[in-house]
Amino acid sequence: MSKILYVVTGADHWTLADGSAHPTGFWAEEAVTPYEAFKAAGHDVVVATPGGVVPTVDPGSLTPEFNGGQEGADRVAAGLAAFTELQHPLKLSEVNLDDYAAVFCPGGHGPMEDLSVSAESGDLLTRALDSGRPLGVVCHAPAALLAATRADGSATFAGYRVTAFTNAEEGLAGFAERAKWLLQDRLVAAGVDFQEGEPWAPHVVVDRNLVTGQNPASAAPLAAALLQKLS
């Protein structure tokens, strides 16, 4: 049995262009669905956040609207309740990467607030990539790739094929005009080879040991791809 490290946002809001704070955190489905897959495959999960704060779930991610109805919302809520490791996170600064077989980052708008500028997270992701460990990042969590740089200042993930929540999806979600910046734009500016799929459809991109997913619907196939690399 091996351990998988979850790098999770510690933010409970996302600062919009007008300075207002939009309540957010991590997206429930993107945390719960891979967690269930990893546990079912016999792996342990350990959570780490900036400063070791207990992460906040985006309240919107628990609604029937975003879970295909009440039954889906109840299932995600039950899965979240069973994910007790979220209540006992490590500090990112205390993580020993050698203890883990893989690293996974769930999304939500929270990473846009903190992981996008976290040197600790960026350094951890750089070391995970260079180690050859499977590294899975989904939806808005690729914002964390923006903080990953090398000693010479170059972007760690430049040249990698990556997908993430697209400008089109941000527009459909109603945030494109309200955001300080858009994730797809920033990733392209950082030199990644951005791979855009259809809005809301599952879309996973694998490049070497990096596995990225575009949106919440991509969480399950991303987890499967990560587990395949561990098998």
Side-chain angles (χ1 to χ4, degrees):
M1 181 182 294
S2 62
K3 292 193 289 188
I4 296 176
L5 178 70
Y6 262 56
V7 175
V8 183
T9 177
D12 61 5
H13 69 280
W14 176 34
T15 305
L16 300 176
D18 65 1
S20 63
H22 172 67
T24 188
F26 68 88
W27 198 258
E29 180 183 2
E30 296 166 19
V32 168
T33 301
Y35 173 80
E36 292 173 342
F38 298 154
K39 295 291 282 188
H43 300 286
D44 284 335
V45 168
V46 176
V47 173
T49 64
V53 301
V54 175
T56 299
V57 63
D58 187 310
S61 69
L62 298 175
T63 63
E65 176 187 0
F66 290 110
N67 289 288
Q70 188 62 52
E71 184 177 342
D74 291 344
R75 186 195 69 77
V76 168
L80 193 62
F83 192 167
T84 56
E85 293 89 345
L86 286 166
Q87 303 305 313
H88 309 283
L90 301 176
K91 296 179 181 178
L92 283 178
S93 60
E94 295 176 348
V95 168
N96 180 358
L97 189 60
D98 290 340
D99 292 339
Y100 304 96
V103 177
F104 172 71
C105 307
H109 278 115
M112 302 278 282
E113 186 75 18
D114 63 351
L115 298 185
S116 64
V117 294
S118 169
E120 289 176 345
S121 172
D123 177 64
L124 181 63
L125 296 189
T126 296
R127 288 186 288 117
L129 186 75
D130 291 349
S131 73
R133 286 173 175 77
L135 171 59
V137 194
V138 67
C139 199
H140 285 93
L145 308 187
L146 301 172
T149 56
R150 301 202 176 277
D152 63 1
S154 63
T156 297
F157 292 89
Y160 275 78
R161 290 185 298 112
V162 171
T163 191
F165 204 67
T166 64
N167 290 355
E169 287 169 321
E170 206 71 84
L172 291 169
F175 285 106
E177 299 299 322
R178 303 169 64 193
K180 287 183 177 180
W181 49 272
L182 296 177
L183 181 54
Q184 180 177 345
D185 291 347
R186 281 284 181 90
L187 288 169
V188 170
V192 309
D193 180 4
F194 195 88
Q195 306 285 305
E196 182 174 357
E198 291 297 316
W200 313 123
H203 181 56
V204 172
V205 174
V206 179
D207 188 344
R208 287 156 279 185
N209 58 315
L210 177 65
V211 185
T212 52
Q214 180 171 313
N215 45 37
S218 306
L222 185 152
L226 207 65
L227 286 170
Q228 189 173 23
K229 285 185 171 293
L230 285 173
S231 62

